[in-house]
């Protein structure tokens, strides 16, 4: 949306959201949509530290790093509203979902080398195609399909998990996804009405914050499930009584 200050980055060439541009700085187009990615980075950093400290498999360290890369890409996109930066936000979204797909399905995949090879080639192919084409609604449909492909496996992990604290993580994952989706849709579909309000609730910024927690809950739940598979005696513990993370006890042989 048009704002007040002049633009450092030039004319807008990317999709805009329901926030006035360049209100607080000529260097940041959508201020709240930009800074709302900070919690995503901090939560992913906490997850990364926990994964490294307890020597989880490298896939989880890569997953947390991918969450941070995605958040940084989103910051650059919303700060500049340039097409190249939008692609730098959208392409890591697909890469991240391919990584989730690998973590969810690889434990039961019979041909271990084929899955990472296929997902890597798929990710490279998508990046090249997305760099040349403006997918628009096609990108959104593609991303939703990737998300939907992960749901059956997540549900299987949920029903086979007996630990109440781990199940609570899965429920928090669903709740944040549901609330975040409502914020995203409201910001996208009712921008004209919201623009007339005295106060803009910044639905897309709330989506970023909720998705930061959503990713953290999903990653922590998956770390618990994987630790169960490896017989590492996982437990969900809470820092300061409310912030969940997974604590494991590996056998001495490992």
């Amino acid at each position: 949306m048009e704002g007040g200050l002049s633009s450092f980055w030039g004319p807008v060439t990317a999709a805009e959201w329901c926030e006035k541009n360049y209100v607080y700085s000529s260097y940041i187009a959508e201020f709240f949509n930009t800074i709302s990615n900070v919690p995503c980075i901090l939560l992913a950093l906490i997850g990364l530290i926990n994964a490294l400290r307890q020597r989880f498999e490298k896939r989880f360290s890569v997953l947390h790093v991918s969450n941070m890369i995605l958040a940084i890409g989103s910051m650059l996109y919303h700060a500049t509203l340039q097409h190249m930066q939008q692609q730098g936000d959208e392409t890591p979204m697909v890469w991240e979902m391919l990584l989730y797909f690998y973590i969810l399905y690889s434990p039961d995949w019979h041909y271990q080398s084929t899955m990472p090879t296929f997902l890597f080639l798929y990710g490279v192919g998508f990046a090249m195609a997305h760099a040349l084409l403006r997918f628009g609604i096609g990108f959104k449909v593609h991303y939703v399909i990737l998300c939907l492909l992960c749901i059956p496996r997540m549900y299987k992990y949920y029903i086979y998990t007996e630990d109440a604290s781990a199940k609570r993580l899965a429920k928090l994952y669903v709740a944040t996804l549901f609330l975040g989706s409502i914020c995203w849709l409201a910001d996208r579909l009712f921008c004209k009405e919201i623009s007339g309000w005295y106060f803009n609730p910044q639905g897309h910024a709330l989506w970023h914050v909720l998705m930061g927690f959503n990713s953290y809950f999903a990653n922590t739940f998956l770390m618990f499930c994987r630790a169960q598979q490896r017989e590492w005696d996982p437990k969900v513990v809470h820092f300061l009584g409310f912030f969940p993370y997974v604590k494991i006890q590996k056998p001495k042989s490992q």
Side-chain angles (χ1 to χ4, degrees), residues 30-51:
E30 296 177 340
F31 181 80
F32 291 106
N33 287 348
T34 300
I35 65 170
S36 57
N37 284 284
V38 173
C40 311
I41 297 173
L42 295 178
L43 289 166
L45 180 60
I46 292 170
L48 175 62
I49 292 172
N50 186 40

Side-chain angles (χ1 to χ4, degrees), residues 51 54-62 226-227 229-230 232 250:
Q54 299 194 83
R55 295 186 294 113
F56 272 88
E57 294 164 300
K58 290 181 180 179
R59 65 187 68 182
F60 291 105
S61 297
V62 175
R226 183 57 176 166
Q229 293 172 348
R230 300 297 300 271
W232 289 346
K250 290 185 177 181

Side-chain angles (χ1 to χ4, degrees), residues 144-162:
V144 169
I145 290 173
L146 291 177
C147 293
L148 292 175
L149 288 174
C150 293
I151 289 177
R153 189 66 173 190
M154 284 288 282
Y155 181 68
K156 181 181 178 181
Y157 280 2
Y158 176 80
I159 61 176
Y160 280 98
T161 299
E162 297 181 355

